[in-house]
Amino acid sequence: MKFTENCYEKVIEWIKEADKILVGFGTEWEIPAIETLFCAKEQWKASLEFQKVYAQTSAVEEGRAENGSDLEGIDRIRRGYQIIRHLLEEKDYFLITTNSDAYIYWQGFAEERIVAPCGDIRRMQCEELQHGVWEFGEEDKSLVCPVCKKVGTLNVLQNMPYQESGYLEAWKAYQIWLQHTIHKKIVLLELGEGFQTPTVMRWPFEKLVFFQEKAILCCVHESLSMVSKEISERAYSVAENSIDFIFQLGKRIEQNRIEYN
């Protein structure tokens, strides 16, 4: 079902009334950071540089621009995350992202409520599956596997063989959280997700809505917001850039706050 008018107010109302909220972040929220064609050391250096930038931009005082659409790059995405964090205050939520940039972890969300199944740039992996993944720091020695001493690569889906052990603990927490959504009012926001990895978010979200009568899905994407006919009565399509959409939600919240004060 396509939204026509007052879609922002409807989403805000759904979130207020929801028992559970699941938010998925796709490529519209991605910060193109690191080429997987880099050698391991170049990837490692690039990751460190981006993490420093993340820490700096996350500490920037909010409110530098009145219109979120005028912001560019990393800061625009940061502002979008902060609006969502405000929306989710005191709510039972979980966040899933297919992006490996790790920027979501710098936004003030509870880390135990985030899962990144495609990996992220905060970890390294060994080509030997049994050696798993490890956290790395600013010293060169964090490049090498602590078990076999081979040089590793970033623990992201694009680096094969991809080591899934890096996200499995968070995935288990996600699955437990999902088990407690049965018979609850759950709102699913699918933000900017295309079809690169549909088994992570696209299809599971639609399946959840299909089987749970109290679930509502809002799929927002500039060009790929379509939803299945089977769930069209409780799944809504918004053909808009998902970051712009979140900025509009923020504006409506602020307007309502001013009107009621």
Side-chain angles (χ1 to χ4, degrees):
M1 182 183 302
K2 287 189 176 182
F3 267 137
T4 53
E5 55 186 63
N6 298 325
C7 64
Y8 308 110
E9 285 77 8
K10 285 183 180 179
V11 171
I12 292 170
E13 191 62 30
W14 290 339
I15 290 173
K16 286 181 179 178
E17 296 179 353
D19 299 315
K20 306 268 188 177
I21 302 170
L22 176 58
V23 185
F25 298 94
T27 53
E28 288 184 346
W29 293 74
E30 182 179 26
I31 299 170
I34 296 166
E35 293 287 344
T36 54
L37 297 178
F38 287 175
C39 72
K41 191 160 188 176
E42 288 174 331
Q43 285 190 345
W44 169 73
K45 287 182 177 179
S47 177
L48 289 175
E49 287 303 311
F50 273 96
Q51 290 185 53
K52 289 177 183 177
V53 172
Y54 296 166
Q56 291 168 2
T57 56
S58 296
V60 172
E61 186 176 352
E62 295 183 29
R64 291 189 301 172
E66 295 180 0
N67 187 344
S69 296
D70 293 336
L71 297 170
E72 295 182 358
I74 244 178
D75 193 53
R76 182 167 177 268
I77 294 175
R78 180 190 67 83
R79 288 285 302 278
Y81 276 132
Q82 294 309 309
I83 293 170
I84 293 172
R85 189 162 68 92
H86 175 69
L87 280 169
L88 299 181
E89 282 179 349
E90 300 181 1
K91 303 299 292 189
D92 186 355
Y93 69 88
F94 215 100
L95 311 177
I96 181 170
T97 179
T98 54
N99 301 322
S100 58
D101 54 39
Y103 193 37
I104 192 172
Y105 292 97
W106 273 264
Q107 305 310 312
F109 299 109
E111 185 168 342
E112 65 271 17
R113 291 178 176 268
I114 305 172
V115 63
C118 299
D120 68 72
I121 64 173
R122 301 172 304 157
R123 298 186 181 92
M124 301 289 287
Q125 65 180 33
C126 182
E127 64 181 21
E128 301 294 335
L129 289 174
Q130 66 271 25
H131 295 175
V133 304
W134 64 93
E135 303 289 331
F136 68 88
E138 297 189 13
E139 298 181 359
D140 284 3
K141 63 182 181 181
S142 65
L143 266 171
V144 301
C145 172
V147 179
C148 67
K149 306 306 178 184
K150 291 180 181 178
V151 174
T153 57
L154 291 178
N155 181 223
V156 297
L157 183 63
Q158 293 84 354
N159 284 339
M160 301 300 290
Y162 173 53
Q163 306 284 21
E164 295 186 338
S165 58
Y167 76 86
L168 290 182
E169 184 176 346
W171 186 260
K172 182 179 179 180
Y174 174 49
Q175 295 302 308
I176 292 173
W177 185 88
L178 284 176
Q179 291 171 12
H180 291 89
T181 65
I182 299 174
H183 306 308
K184 302 286 187 180
K185 289 182 180 179
I186 177 171
V187 172
L188 298 89
L189 297 180
E190 185 181 302
L191 303 177
E193 175 68 348
F195 288 95
Q196 292 179 322
T197 51
T199 57
V200 173
M201 192 185 311
R202 275 272 177 166
W203 297 342
F205 277 26
E206 293 198 353
K207 183 178 179 181
L208 190 151
V209 174
F210 181 80
F211 285 106
Q212 295 191 200
E213 294 182 357
K214 293 184 178 181
I216 295 175
L217 168 64
C218 182
C219 181
V220 189
H221 192 285
E222 198 160 15
S223 59
L224 298 171
S225 63
M226 62 286 290
V227 295
S228 298
K229 292 181 180 179
E230 291 80 3
I231 59 171
S232 59
E233 291 185 0
R234 289 179 288 111
Y236 298 84
S237 169
V238 181
E240 181 179 359
N241 179 277
S242 57
I243 300 178
D244 291 338
F245 178 81
I246 292 301
F247 276 119
Q248 290 298 325
L249 290 186
K251 284 183 178 180
R252 297 308 195 279
I253 293 171
E254 188 60 31
Q255 287 170 1
N256 289 339
R257 183 184 295 115
I258 292 172
E259 288 174 4
Y260 291 127
N261 285 346

